Amino acid sequence: MYWNSDIREAGGDRDAVTGGTRILSDWIIVRITCNEGESFLDQMISMVEGAKRQKTPNEIALSILLAAMTIIFLLVCVSLIPFSIFSVDSFNGKRRQIAFGKCPFVSLAEAREMKFQARKLLAQGFDPVENRRQTKLDNQISSENNFEAIAKHWHENKKHTWEPKHTENILKRLETYMFPIIGRKAIC
């Protein structure tokens, strides 16, 4: 390398370029005398990159802890679904199951409370599956948005435009054929 004499090494009198080198003139000429990848710095970088070292005890312990926590997480995720299903021996000897909801939407505390209520119903002599079905049915019946309520409202609004005999026939047909089948269905 060729250095102009106007370069001063930081903290010394030799002509070399290091961190903190001050250039005293307005130009510098540098001649590189080694091939690309063969410099001391390139050799040091390749040596550090290729170095294999043993893991420290803390790194080993952390790897074991992460593996154990991953296994526990997977076991918990897999076992949550069976915990949310409650098996019931019904009164006619058949085994039935009640699902209390999906995991993210029903907390574990809520599922436990629903299971407790189901056991309470069993102890009182009621079938929890039938009770749940009847509760859903009652909610649909009491709803103002079921087919029967909407059809009766429609009939009430239209009857003044029809003949009395036609009005009576439509209501009878609805009550005979439609309301028993889809009258309680909720209409959104």
Side-chain angles (χ1 to χ4, degrees):
M1 292 184 155
Y2 170 76
W3 304 108
N4 190 336
S5 60
D6 292 338
I7 297 175
R8 297 243 173 82
E9 178 184 6
D13 290 337
R14 297 179 302 131
D15 290 342
V17 177
T18 60
T21 299
R22 199 166 41 151
I23 299 175
L24 301 177
S25 66
D26 58 350
W27 58 275
I28 184 171
I29 299 172
V30 178
R31 185 176 58 182
I32 300 173
T33 59
C34 65
N35 295 330
E36 185 176 341
E38 293 179 357
S39 70
F40 175 75
L41 189 60
D42 290 330
Q43 290 174 0
M44 291 299 290
I45 290 173
S46 66
M47 186 173 67
V48 169
E49 285 177 347
K52 299 286 184 192
R53 64 176 182 83
Q54 287 186 335
K55 289 186 175 181
T56 65
N58 285 341
E59 290 172 330
I60 294 170
L62 182 62
S63 298
I64 292 170
L65 178 68
L66 287 174
M69 291 306 236
T70 303
I71 291 169
I72 290 170
F73 175 76
L74 292 174
L75 288 174
V76 167
C77 288
V78 168
S79 65
L80 279 179
I81 293 172
F83 283 124
S84 69
I85 298 174
F86 179 59
S87 291
V88 177
D89 289 325
S90 64
F91 303 108
N92 58 3
K94 293 181 182 175
R95 193 160 190 82
R96 301 167 81 178
Q97 293 182 339
I98 303 173
F100 297 123
K102 294 194 178 184
C103 178
F105 305 112
V106 177
S107 71
L108 193 55
E110 291 171 334
R112 282 188 190 129
E113 179 61 30
M114 288 186 236
K115 185 176 180 180
F116 176 73
Q117 295 298 328
R119 284 193 177 161
K120 201 186 238 185
L121 284 171
L122 275 174
Q124 295 171 355
F126 295 107
D127 185 2
V129 176
E130 281 302 317
N131 185 41
R132 186 174 184 183
R133 187 174 292 137
Q134 187 62 41
T135 303
K136 280 185 177 180
L137 189 61
D138 291 343
N139 288 341
Q140 282 183 348
I141 290 171
S142 66
S143 172
E144 291 296 322
N145 290 333
N146 63 26
F147 179 81
E148 186 173 351
I150 291 173
K152 283 183 177 179
H153 181 71
W154 168 79
H155 184 266
E156 195 65 35
N157 287 339
K158 288 288 192 176
K159 75 179 182 179
H160 70 303
T161 62
W162 297 327
E163 295 289 328
K165 182 82 172 159
H166 182 68
T167 303
E168 186 178 293
N169 284 342
I170 293 227
L171 186 59
K172 280 185 184 177
R173 287 179 185 149
L174 284 171
E175 289 172 345
T176 305
Y177 300 111
M178 301 299 284
F179 293 165
I181 298 170
I182 61 170
R184 295 178 179 149
K185 296 282 184 188
I187 308 273
C188 297

